[in-house]
Amino acid sequence: MTNQKTLASLAVLVQSGQLDPVALTEDTLTRIENHADKSIFIGLTRDRAEREAKAASERISAGRSLGLLDGLPVAWKDLFDLAGSVTTAGSVVLKDNPPAAADAAVVAALGGAGMVSVGRTNMSEFAFSGLGVNPHYGTPRNPRSADVQRIPGGSSSGSAAAVAAGLVPLAIGTDTGGSVRIPAAMTGIVGYKATRGRYAMKGVFPLAQSLDSLGPLCHTVQDAVWADAAMHSLTAPVIRRAELADLSLVIPETIVFDEAEAEVVSVFEAAIKRLEAAGVRVRRQAFPSFAEIFDLTARHGALITAEAYALHRERLAGPEAARIDPRVVVRTRLGEKTTVSDYIALLDVRDRLIHQTVESLKPGELIAHPTVPHVAPMVDPLLANDDLFIKVNAKTLRNTSIGNFLDFCGVSIPCGTGAAGMPVGFLVSAPHHQDDRLLSAALALEAPIRGGA
C-alpha cells in the first residue's frame, strides 16, 4: 500500500483523510515484520507507535493537525534515546543497560511534529565504520543489489536500507565521517548531513563529538527539508527553492577522484553536463586543504579515532572488549597513539584549513563531487579479508570525511548507476552553517542531477 512513498505523498493522503495514521502505522509495522531482511531493524517500538498513531488520528479527525508530518512514520538509528527502550549503539555490550528515561532532543522534536516512531535501525557497532557490517545483529542487505549481497554503507546502514526498501519514508542517522551520505549514496536515496550543532545532540550516543552531526535519510530533497525543519522544532520549512541560473558549483581536482571507478566518474560527469545545460555555472580547481587533511592525519592520527578512544578507553581495557567487533576494537585502539599535543595540533590545523577552504570558494559557490568513489562492494570478500576490509573502509569514507573535518553540510543525491547497476551518489556541500542555502540549492539541483535516475 505505501511502498516507496515519500513523506510529501503520504502527507497528502493523511491530511486529506484518505489514509488514517493508525492504518499507516499498522501497515508499516507489518511490512517491517514480514520483510525478508531481519537485520534492518534492531527492534520495533510497537506500543509507542500505536499510541502515537492513535493520537495523530484523533487530532487530524478533529481538525487539529500538527502539520504536514503528523501521523507519518519515522525510524531511528540505534544511537538515539527513545524513552522506555534501550539504546545499544549496535553493540551487545550495551543491550542490558536500563531503558532510556527520556527521548533524545530530536526524537522529541519530531514527536512534537506528530511523527510516529516505529523502531530502532541497525548500524555499524558504535558507528565506527563506513561499510555497515555488524556481526551481532547481522549486516543489512543493500536493497538495490540484484546479484549478490552488497554492503548498505554505514554506519547508518539500517536507516538507509529501511528507506531504500520502502519500509519507512524517513529514518534519522548520524554522520561523523560520512555515515548518512555514504549509505544514502550506496542505496540510491537522499541523505542530508547537517552542519554539526544544527540540531540538539542531547540523548544521542556519541562517537567523536567534534565531528558528530545528524541528518535525515529519505527519498527526496523536499522530504529532507521537511524533516530538517521539524528536527529543530520549526512548525514549517522556511527554505525557498533556488533558481538554477543563480547557482555555481566548483568541482575539486584534489583527492576525490583518486582511484574512482570509471563508471562512477562517468555518471557524475553526465550529471554535471545536465546541470550546465540547465544553466548552472561549473568550474574546477585544486583544493590543497583536502590533501593536507590526510597528511595531517598521517602525522598526528585521526581526530575521530582519538575521540572515540577517549570515549571507549575503559571499555577496551576490560572484559567487554572481547564482545565488541574486533575490527571496531582495532580501529578504536589506534586513538591510543594520539598524544595531547597531537590532538591540539589537529584542532589548530583544522581551524586553519576550514578558513582556507572557505576563502578559496567564490561567493555563493557549492562544492560538488562523487559521494563515494565506488559503488557498494560485495559483503563476503570484506568479511573474509581484514586487510581488504580496512582498505575499502578507508576509501569509502575518504570523500565524505573531508566534509566532516572541514565542518561542511552536505546532501547526497542519486545521479545514476555504475557497476552491477548499483547507485552512484552526487554530493553537494557548503561551508558550515550554510545549511539553508545548501538545501535551497539542492531543491533546484535535484532534478538535473537525477536525470532519469
Short mmCIF file of all heavy atoms in Angstrom, two decimals, residues 129-133 139 149-153 186 327 374-394 396:
data_model
loop_
_atom_site.label_atom_id
_atom_site.label_comp_id
_atom_site.label_asym_id
_atom_site.label_seq_id
_atom_site.Cartn_x
_atom_site.Cartn_y
_atom_site.Cartn_z
N SER A 129 32.31 2.57 11.34
CA SER A 129 32.69 2.01 10.04
C SER A 129 31.79 2.61 8.98
O SER A 129 30.61 2.87 9.23
CB SER A 129 32.57 0.49 10.03
OG SER A 129 32.49 -0.01 8.70
N GLY A 130 32.34 2.80 7.81
CA GLY A 130 31.55 3.32 6.70
C GLY A 130 30.89 2.24 5.87
O GLY A 130 30.25 2.55 4.87
N LEU A 131 31.03 0.98 6.28
CA LEU A 131 30.55 -0.13 5.46
C LEU A 131 29.20 -0.67 5.91
O LEU A 131 28.44 -1.20 5.10
CB LEU A 131 31.58 -1.27 5.44
CG LEU A 131 32.98 -0.85 4.94
CD1 LEU A 131 33.91 -2.05 4.92
CD2 LEU A 131 32.91 -0.22 3.56
N GLY A 132 28.88 -0.59 7.20
CA GLY A 132 27.58 -1.05 7.68
C GLY A 132 27.55 -2.49 8.13
O GLY A 132 26.47 -3.04 8.39
N VAL A 133 28.71 -3.12 8.25
CA VAL A 133 28.78 -4.52 8.69
C VAL A 133 28.57 -4.58 10.20
O VAL A 133 29.13 -3.78 10.96
CB VAL A 133 30.16 -5.12 8.32
CG1 VAL A 133 30.37 -6.48 8.99
CG2 VAL A 133 30.29 -5.24 6.81
N THR A 139 24.24 -7.94 9.09
CA THR A 139 24.51 -6.82 8.19
C THR A 139 23.32 -6.65 7.25
O THR A 139 22.99 -7.57 6.50
CB THR A 139 25.79 -7.08 7.38
OG1 THR A 139 26.89 -7.20 8.29
CG2 THR A 139 26.05 -5.95 6.39
N GLN A 149 24.94 -10.35 -2.16
CA GLN A 149 24.76 -9.41 -1.05
C GLN A 149 25.86 -8.36 -1.09
O GLN A 149 27.05 -8.67 -1.11
CB GLN A 149 24.78 -10.14 0.30
CG GLN A 149 24.45 -9.20 1.45
CD GLN A 149 24.33 -9.90 2.79
OE1 GLN A 149 24.50 -11.10 2.87
NE2 GLN A 149 24.03 -9.15 3.82
N ARG A 150 25.44 -7.11 -1.07
CA ARG A 150 26.37 -5.98 -1.06
C ARG A 150 26.13 -5.15 0.18
O ARG A 150 25.03 -5.15 0.73
CB ARG A 150 26.19 -5.12 -2.32
CG ARG A 150 26.62 -5.84 -3.59
CD ARG A 150 26.35 -5.01 -4.84
NE ARG A 150 26.78 -5.72 -6.04
CZ ARG A 150 28.01 -5.63 -6.56
NH1 ARG A 150 28.92 -4.83 -6.01
NH2 ARG A 150 28.32 -6.32 -7.64
N ILE A 151 27.16 -4.44 0.61
CA ILE A 151 27.02 -3.63 1.81
C ILE A 151 26.01 -2.51 1.57
O ILE A 151 25.88 -2.01 0.45
CB ILE A 151 28.36 -3.04 2.29
CG1 ILE A 151 28.96 -2.07 1.27
CG2 ILE A 151 29.34 -4.13 2.66
CD1 ILE A 151 30.04 -1.19 1.83
N PRO A 152 25.31 -2.09 2.63
CA PRO A 152 24.39 -0.97 2.51
C PRO A 152 25.08 0.37 2.70
O PRO A 152 24.48 1.42 2.48
CB PRO A 152 23.40 -1.22 3.65
CG PRO A 152 24.23 -1.91 4.70
CD PRO A 152 25.25 -2.74 3.95
N GLY A 153 26.36 0.33 3.13
CA GLY A 153 27.03 1.56 3.56
C GLY A 153 26.75 1.79 5.03
O GLY A 153 25.75 1.31 5.58
N MET A 186 24.95 4.68 -1.53
CA MET A 186 25.05 3.26 -1.91
C MET A 186 23.70 2.59 -2.10
O MET A 186 23.61 1.56 -2.77
CB MET A 186 25.87 2.50 -0.87
CG MET A 186 27.35 2.82 -0.93
SD MET A 186 28.31 1.77 0.17
CE MET A 186 29.99 2.17 -0.40
N ARG A 327 37.15 -5.67 14.49
CA ARG A 327 37.54 -4.59 13.56
C ARG A 327 37.32 -3.22 14.20
O ARG A 327 38.10 -2.29 13.99
CB ARG A 327 36.73 -4.70 12.26
CG ARG A 327 37.09 -5.92 11.41
CD ARG A 327 36.11 -6.09 10.26
NE ARG A 327 34.82 -6.53 10.73
CZ ARG A 327 34.31 -7.74 10.53
NH1 ARG A 327 35.00 -8.63 9.85
NH2 ARG A 327 33.12 -8.06 10.98
N HIS A 374 33.27 4.61 -5.34
CA HIS A 374 32.91 3.30 -5.88
C HIS A 374 31.46 2.98 -5.49
O HIS A 374 30.93 3.59 -4.56
CB HIS A 374 33.84 2.20 -5.36
CG HIS A 374 33.97 2.19 -3.87
ND1 HIS A 374 35.08 2.68 -3.21
CD2 HIS A 374 33.13 1.78 -2.88
CE1 HIS A 374 34.91 2.55 -1.91
NE2 HIS A 374 33.73 2.02 -1.68
N VAL A 375 30.87 2.03 -6.19
CA VAL A 375 29.54 1.58 -5.79
C VAL A 375 29.68 0.58 -4.64
O VAL A 375 30.79 0.18 -4.27
CB VAL A 375 28.78 0.93 -6.97
CG1 VAL A 375 28.55 1.96 -8.07
CG2 VAL A 375 29.49 -0.31 -7.50
N ALA A 376 28.55 0.18 -4.07
CA ALA A 376 28.56 -0.72 -2.92
C ALA A 376 29.27 -2.03 -3.26
O ALA A 376 28.86 -2.74 -4.18
CB ALA A 376 27.13 -1.01 -2.47
N PRO A 377 30.33 -2.38 -2.51
CA PRO A 377 31.04 -3.63 -2.78
C PRO A 377 30.32 -4.84 -2.18
O PRO A 377 29.44 -4.71 -1.33
CB PRO A 377 32.40 -3.42 -2.10
CG PRO A 377 32.16 -2.41 -1.04
CD PRO A 377 31.01 -1.56 -1.50
N MET A 378 30.74 -6.02 -2.63
CA MET A 378 30.17 -7.26 -2.12
C MET A 378 30.61 -7.49 -0.67
O MET A 378 31.73 -7.14 -0.29
CB MET A 378 30.61 -8.44 -2.99
CG MET A 378 30.07 -8.36 -4.41
SD MET A 378 30.56 -9.77 -5.44
CE MET A 378 32.26 -9.32 -5.80
N VAL A 379 29.73 -8.08 0.11
CA VAL A 379 29.98 -8.29 1.54
C VAL A 379 31.03 -9.37 1.79
O VAL A 379 31.98 -9.19 2.57
CB VAL A 379 28.67 -8.64 2.29
CG1 VAL A 379 28.96 -9.07 3.73
CG2 VAL A 379 27.71 -7.46 2.28
N ASP A 380 30.87 -10.54 1.16
CA ASP A 380 31.69 -11.71 1.53
C ASP A 380 33.20 -11.49 1.44
O ASP A 380 33.93 -11.88 2.35
CB ASP A 380 31.26 -12.92 0.69
CG ASP A 380 29.90 -13.46 1.10
OD1 ASP A 380 29.41 -13.06 2.18
OD2 ASP A 380 29.32 -14.27 0.35
N PRO A 381 33.72 -10.87 0.36
CA PRO A 381 35.18 -10.65 0.32
C PRO A 381 35.68 -9.78 1.47
O PRO A 381 36.79 -9.98 1.97
CB PRO A 381 35.39 -9.96 -1.03
CG PRO A 381 34.22 -10.37 -1.86
CD PRO A 381 33.07 -10.47 -0.90
N LEU A 382 34.86 -8.82 1.90
CA LEU A 382 35.26 -7.93 3.01
C LEU A 382 35.34 -8.70 4.32
O LEU A 382 36.24 -8.45 5.14
CB LEU A 382 34.26 -6.78 3.14
CG LEU A 382 34.15 -5.83 1.94
CD1 LEU A 382 32.98 -4.89 2.12
CD2 LEU A 382 35.45 -5.05 1.75
N LEU A 383 34.40 -9.62 4.53
CA LEU A 383 34.40 -10.40 5.77
C LEU A 383 35.52 -11.43 5.79
O LEU A 383 35.98 -11.84 6.86
CB LEU A 383 33.05 -11.10 5.95
CG LEU A 383 31.82 -10.18 6.09
CD1 LEU A 383 30.56 -11.00 6.28
CD2 LEU A 383 32.00 -9.20 7.24
N ALA A 384 35.96 -11.83 4.61
CA ALA A 384 36.99 -12.87 4.52
C ALA A 384 38.41 -12.33 4.64
O ALA A 384 39.36 -13.09 4.85
CB ALA A 384 36.84 -13.64 3.21
N ASN A 385 38.57 -11.01 4.52
CA ASN A 385 39.91 -10.44 4.45
C ASN A 385 39.95 -9.12 5.21
O ASN A 385 39.46 -8.10 4.73
CB ASN A 385 40.28 -10.23 2.97
CG ASN A 385 41.70 -9.73 2.77
OD1 ASN A 385 42.27 -9.05 3.63
ND2 ASN A 385 42.28 -10.06 1.62
N ASP A 386 40.55 -9.15 6.41
CA ASP A 386 40.57 -7.94 7.25
C ASP A 386 41.33 -6.79 6.60
O ASP A 386 40.96 -5.62 6.75
CB ASP A 386 41.18 -8.25 8.62
CG ASP A 386 40.19 -8.94 9.55
OD1 ASP A 386 39.00 -9.05 9.18
OD2 ASP A 386 40.60 -9.38 10.64
N ASP A 387 42.42 -7.12 5.87
CA ASP A 387 43.19 -6.06 5.21
C ASP A 387 42.35 -5.38 4.14
O ASP A 387 42.38 -4.15 4.00
CB ASP A 387 44.47 -6.64 4.57
CG ASP A 387 45.49 -7.05 5.62
OD1 ASP A 387 45.41 -6.54 6.77
OD2 ASP A 387 46.36 -7.88 5.31
N LEU A 388 41.58 -6.18 3.40
CA LEU A 388 40.69 -5.61 2.38
C LEU A 388 39.61 -4.77 3.04
O LEU A 388 39.27 -3.68 2.55
CB LEU A 388 40.07 -6.73 1.54
CG LEU A 388 39.11 -6.26 0.43
CD1 LEU A 388 39.87 -5.49 -0.64
CD2 LEU A 388 38.38 -7.46 -0.19
N PHE A 389 39.06 -5.25 4.15
CA PHE A 389 38.03 -4.51 4.89
C PHE A 389 38.56 -3.12 5.26
O PHE A 389 37.89 -2.10 5.04
CB PHE A 389 37.65 -5.29 6.15
CG PHE A 389 36.51 -4.68 6.93
CD1 PHE A 389 35.22 -5.20 6.82
CD2 PHE A 389 36.71 -3.60 7.79
CE1 PHE A 389 34.16 -4.64 7.53
CE2 PHE A 389 35.66 -3.04 8.51
CZ PHE A 389 34.39 -3.58 8.38
N ILE A 390 39.76 -3.08 5.82
CA ILE A 390 40.35 -1.80 6.26
C ILE A 390 40.57 -0.87 5.07
O ILE A 390 40.26 0.33 5.13
CB ILE A 390 41.68 -2.06 7.01
CG1 ILE A 390 41.39 -2.76 8.35
CG2 ILE A 390 42.44 -0.77 7.24
CD1 ILE A 390 42.62 -3.37 9.00
N LYS A 391 41.08 -1.42 3.98
CA LYS A 391 41.36 -0.61 2.79
C LYS A 391 40.08 -0.04 2.18
O LYS A 391 39.99 1.15 1.86
CB LYS A 391 42.11 -1.47 1.76
CG LYS A 391 42.47 -0.73 0.48
CD LYS A 391 43.17 -1.65 -0.50
CE LYS A 391 43.48 -0.91 -1.80
NZ LYS A 391 44.09 -1.80 -2.81
N VAL A 392 39.06 -0.91 2.03
CA VAL A 392 37.80 -0.47 1.42
C VAL A 392 37.08 0.51 2.34
O VAL A 392 36.48 1.50 1.88
CB VAL A 392 36.91 -1.68 1.08
CG1 VAL A 392 35.53 -1.22 0.62
CG2 VAL A 392 37.57 -2.53 -0.01
N ASN A 393 37.13 0.27 3.65
CA ASN A 393 36.50 1.19 4.60
C ASN A 393 37.11 2.58 4.48
O ASN A 393 36.40 3.59 4.44
CB ASN A 393 36.65 0.65 6.02
CG ASN A 393 35.89 1.49 7.04
OD1 ASN A 393 34.71 1.74 6.90
ND2 ASN A 393 36.60 1.93 8.08
N ALA A 394 38.45 2.64 4.41
CA ALA A 394 39.13 3.93 4.31
C ALA A 394 38.75 4.66 3.02
O ALA A 394 38.48 5.87 3.03
CB ALA A 394 40.64 3.73 4.38
N THR A 396 36.02 4.18 1.23
CA THR A 396 34.59 4.51 1.30
C THR A 396 34.36 5.82 2.05
O THR A 396 33.54 6.65 1.66
CB THR A 396 33.82 3.36 1.97
OG1 THR A 396 33.96 2.17 1.18
CG2 THR A 396 32.34 3.68 2.12
#
